[in-house]
Amino acid sequence: LLSYPIVKPVDTVIARATLEFLIYVITFGILLFLATYFNMIDGVARIDYLLLSLLLCVFSGFGMGLIAAALTSLYSWVEKIIPVVSRALFLTSGIFFSLSMLPMVARDILWYNPILQMTEMARHGVFLNYPVTFCAIVVALGLLALRMAEQSPRARIRGAGS
């Protein structure tokens, strides 16, 4: 695909983000329907917070994907770092535990994980002291990093120097 002049590297990231978004939304919708149908939950108390947390996850993931694409095209050692950082963020994201289960010392440290905040927002419908601009900043940084990587002579992505 990247051999066609009209296709840019950012197009592949957008396509992948769209595919992941659709897969997760459909899966989440099915699981939510089944949980409601079998009376495992009463329903969604605050749909607006749930949808906002989903959008924050999508745009944060898109921005981080752009940054990762740009950095890995410039520096090969970044490919080894990204899985380590991703694993750490995943394990501290609140998927396996609720923030209220942890002591205050752990809460204060883990609260800096943006994925944990989005998980807590989706879980409880509460959005405390977390700026929405985080996602806009990450997407802007990702687009800037990808553009800089495209123009770098060391980049391993098509579009370098254009």
Side-chain angles (χ1 to χ4, degrees), residues 53-86:
S53 68
L54 178 66
L55 287 176
L56 288 173
C57 286
V58 168
F59 286 117
S60 295
F62 177 68
M64 295 306 290
L66 288 173
I67 291 170
L71 290 177
T72 55
S73 73
L74 292 172
Y75 311 105
S76 60
W77 57 267
V78 175
E79 291 179 31
K80 296 179 177 101
I81 302 296
I82 289 176
V84 174
V85 172
S86 296

Coordinates of all heavy atoms in Angstrom, one line a residue, residues 53-86:
S53 N -15.2 8.0 28.2 CA -14.0 7.2 28.5 C -13.5 6.4 27.3 O -12.3 6.2 27.0 CB -14.2 6.3 29.7 OG -15.1 5.3 29.4
L54 N -14.5 5.9 26.5 CA -14.2 5.1 25.3 C -13.5 6.0 24.3 O -12.5 5.6 23.7 CB -15.4 4.5 24.7 CG -15.3 3.8 23.4 CD1 -14.5 2.5 23.6 CD2 -16.6 3.4 22.8
L55 N -14.0 7.2 24.1 CA -13.4 8.2 23.1 C -12.0 8.6 23.6 O -11.0 8.7 22.8 CB -14.2 9.4 22.9 CG -15.5 9.2 22.1 CD1 -16.3 10.4 22.1 CD2 -15.1 8.7 20.7
L56 N -11.8 8.8 24.9 CA -10.5 9.1 25.4 C -9.5 8.0 25.2 O -8.3 8.2 24.9 CB -10.6 9.4 26.9 CG -11.2 10.8 27.3 CD1 -11.4 10.9 28.8 CD2 -10.4 11.9 26.8
C57 N -10.0 6.7 25.4 CA -9.1 5.6 25.1 C -8.7 5.5 23.6 O -7.5 5.3 23.3 CB -9.8 4.3 25.5 SG -9.9 4.0 27.3
V58 N -9.6 5.8 22.7 CA -9.4 5.7 21.3 C -8.4 6.8 20.9 O -7.4 6.5 20.3 CB -10.7 5.9 20.5 CG1 -10.4 6.2 19.0 CG2 -11.6 4.7 20.7
F59 N -8.6 8.0 21.3 CA -7.7 9.1 20.9 C -6.3 9.0 21.6 O -5.3 9.4 21.0 CB -8.3 10.5 21.2 CG -9.4 10.8 20.2 CD1 -10.7 11.0 20.6 CD2 -9.1 10.9 18.8 CE1 -11.7 11.2 19.7 CE2 -10.1 11.1 17.9 CZ -11.4 11.3 18.3
S60 N -6.3 8.6 22.8 CA -5.0 8.4 23.5 C -4.2 7.3 22.8 O -3.0 7.4 22.6 CB -5.2 8.0 25.0 OG -5.8 9.1 25.7
G61 N -4.9 6.2 22.5 CA -4.2 5.1 21.8 C -3.8 5.5 20.4 O -2.7 5.1 20.0
F62 N -4.6 6.3 19.7 CA -4.2 6.8 18.4 C -2.9 7.7 18.5 O -2.0 7.5 17.7 CB -5.4 7.5 17.8 CG -5.0 8.1 16.4 CD1 -4.8 7.3 15.3 CD2 -5.0 9.5 16.3 CE1 -4.5 7.9 14.1 CE2 -4.7 10.1 15.0 CZ -4.5 9.3 14.0
G63 N -2.9 8.6 19.4 CA -1.8 9.4 19.6 C -0.5 8.7 20.0 O 0.6 8.9 19.4
M64 N -0.7 7.7 20.9 CA 0.5 6.9 21.3 C 1.0 6.1 20.1 O 2.2 5.8 20.0 CB 0.2 6.1 22.5 CG -0.1 6.9 23.8 SD 1.2 8.1 24.2 CE 2.5 7.0 24.7
G65 N 0.0 5.6 19.3 CA 0.4 4.8 18.1 C 1.2 5.6 17.1 O 2.2 5.1 16.5
L66 N 0.8 6.9 17.0 CA 1.5 7.8 16.1 C 2.9 8.0 16.6 O 3.9 8.0 15.8 CB 0.8 9.1 15.9 CG -0.5 9.1 15.1 CD1 -1.2 10.4 15.2 CD2 -0.2 8.8 13.7
I67 N 3.0 8.3 17.9 CA 4.4 8.5 18.5 C 5.2 7.3 18.3 O 6.4 7.3 18.0 CB 4.2 8.9 20.0 CG1 3.6 10.3 20.0 CG2 5.6 8.9 20.7 CD1 3.2 10.7 21.4
A68 N 4.7 6.1 18.6 CA 5.4 4.9 18.5 C 5.9 4.6 17.0 O 7.0 4.2 16.8 CB 4.6 3.7 19.0
A69 N 5.0 4.9 16.1 CA 5.3 4.7 14.7 C 6.5 5.6 14.3 O 7.4 5.2 13.6 CB 4.1 4.9 13.8
A70 N 6.4 6.8 14.7 CA 7.5 7.8 14.4 C 8.8 7.4 15.0 O 9.8 7.4 14.4 CB 7.1 9.2 14.8
L71 N 8.8 7.1 16.3 CA 10.0 6.7 17.0 C 10.6 5.4 16.5 O 11.8 5.3 16.4 CB 9.8 6.7 18.5 CG 9.5 8.0 19.2 CD1 9.2 7.8 20.7 CD2 10.6 9.0 19.0
T72 N 9.8 4.4 16.2 CA 10.4 3.2 15.7 C 10.9 3.3 14.3 O 11.8 2.6 14.0 CB 9.4 2.0 15.8 OG1 8.2 2.4 15.0 CG2 9.0 1.6 17.2
S73 N 10.4 4.2 13.5 CA 11.0 4.4 12.2 C 12.4 5.1 12.3 O 13.2 5.0 11.4 CB 10.1 5.2 11.3 OG 10.0 6.6 11.7
L74 N 12.6 5.9 13.4 CA 13.8 6.6 13.5 C 14.9 5.8 14.3 O 16.1 5.9 14.0 CB 13.6 7.9 14.3 CG 12.8 9.0 13.5 CD1 12.4 10.2 14.3 CD2 13.6 9.4 12.2
Y75 N 14.4 5.1 15.3 CA 15.4 4.4 16.2 C 14.9 3.0 16.4 O 13.8 2.7 16.9 CB 15.4 5.1 17.6 CG 15.6 6.6 17.5 CD1 14.5 7.5 17.8 CD2 16.8 7.1 17.2 CE1 14.7 8.8 17.7 CE2 17.0 8.5 17.2 CZ 16.0 9.3 17.4 OH 16.1 10.7 17.4
S76 N 15.8 2.0 16.0 CA 15.4 0.6 16.1 C 15.3 0.1 17.5 O 14.5 -0.8 17.8 CB 16.4 -0.2 15.3 OG 17.7 -0.1 15.8
W77 N 16.0 0.7 18.5 CA 16.0 0.3 19.9 C 14.6 0.6 20.5 O 14.3 0.0 21.5 CB 17.1 0.9 20.7 CG 17.1 2.4 20.7 CD1 17.8 3.2 19.8 CD2 16.4 3.3 21.5 NE1 17.6 4.5 20.1 CE2 16.8 4.6 21.2 CE3 15.6 3.1 22.6 CZ2 16.3 5.7 21.8 CZ3 15.1 4.2 23.2 CH2 15.4 5.5 22.8
V78 N 13.8 1.5 19.9 CA 12.5 1.8 20.5 C 11.6 0.6 20.5 O 10.7 0.4 21.3 CB 11.9 3.0 19.8 CG1 10.5 3.3 20.3 CG2 12.8 4.3 20.0
E79 N 11.8 -0.2 19.4 CA 10.9 -1.4 19.3 C 11.1 -2.3 20.5 O 10.1 -3.1 20.8 CB 11.3 -2.2 18.1 CG 10.9 -1.5 16.8 CD 11.3 -2.3 15.5 OE1 11.3 -3.5 15.6 OE2 11.6 -1.6 14.5
K80 N 12.2 -2.3 21.2 CA 12.4 -3.1 22.4 C 11.8 -2.5 23.6 O 11.5 -3.2 24.6 CB 13.9 -3.4 22.6 CG 14.5 -4.2 21.5 CD 16.0 -4.4 21.7 CE 16.5 -5.3 20.6 NZ 17.2 -4.6 19.6
I81 N 11.7 -1.2 23.6 CA 11.2 -0.4 24.8 C 9.7 -0.4 24.8 O 9.1 -0.5 25.9 CB 11.7 1.0 24.8 CG1 13.2 1.0 24.8 CG2 11.2 1.8 25.9 CD1 13.9 0.5 26.0
I82 N 9.0 -0.3 23.7 CA 7.6 -0.2 23.6 C 6.8 -1.3 24.3 O 5.9 -1.1 25.1 CB 7.1 0.1 22.2 CG1 7.5 1.5 21.8 CG2 5.6 -0.1 22.1 CD1 7.2 1.8 20.3
P83 N 7.2 -2.6 24.1 CA 6.5 -3.7 24.8 C 6.6 -3.6 26.3 O 5.7 -3.9 27.0 CB 7.1 -5.0 24.2 CG 7.7 -4.6 23.0 CD 8.1 -3.1 23.1
V84 N 7.8 -3.2 26.8 CA 8.0 -3.1 28.2 C 7.1 -2.0 28.8 O 6.4 -2.2 29.8 CB 9.5 -2.8 28.5 CG1 9.7 -2.5 30.0 CG2 10.4 -3.9 28.1
V85 N 7.0 -0.8 28.2 CA 6.2 0.3 28.7 C 4.7 -0.1 28.5 O 3.9 0.1 29.5 CB 6.5 1.5 27.9 CG1 5.5 2.6 28.2 CG2 7.9 2.0 28.1
S86 N 4.4 -0.8 27.4 CA 3.0 -1.2 27.2 C 2.5 -2.2 28.3 O 1.4 -2.1 28.9 CB 2.8 -1.8 25.9 OG 3.0 -0.9 24.9

